[in-house]
Amino acid sequence: TTPTPSHPAADRTCSRCGAAFHCGIDDAGCCWCAKLPFLPREACAADAGCLCERCLRELLAAPRGL
């Protein structure tokens, strides 16, 4: 989601499911996603944006082949 005056950077849309969520990157406690493991590069599309917590957790839990 591109930030605009009526749509600040902290208001995001999940690039996977389209759900709206709050990105806390600029919050004092940081974003909730910083507390989770990194998603492996091969699990992400090159042009993917932020993910909501549900989608990020689903992708982290998905089995990956070697």
Side-chain angles (χ1 to χ4, degrees):
T1 304
T2 304
T4 65
S6 63
H7 195 76
D11 294 332
R12 303 287 174 123
T13 301
C14 179
S15 64
R16 184 172 180 235
C17 74
F21 68 97
H22 176 77
C23 173
I25 194 71
D26 293 326
D27 293 351
C30 201
C31 189
W32 55 267
C33 70
K35 297 176 178 96
L36 296 175
F38 286 107
L39 190 60
R41 184 179 307 247
E42 63 272 7
C44 302
D47 61 346
C50 290
L51 298 168
C52 67
E53 186 171 2
R54 182 183 61 113
C55 285
L56 181 54
R57 289 186 182 278
E58 285 177 2
L59 288 174
L60 286 168
R64 286 179 281 285
L66 298 175

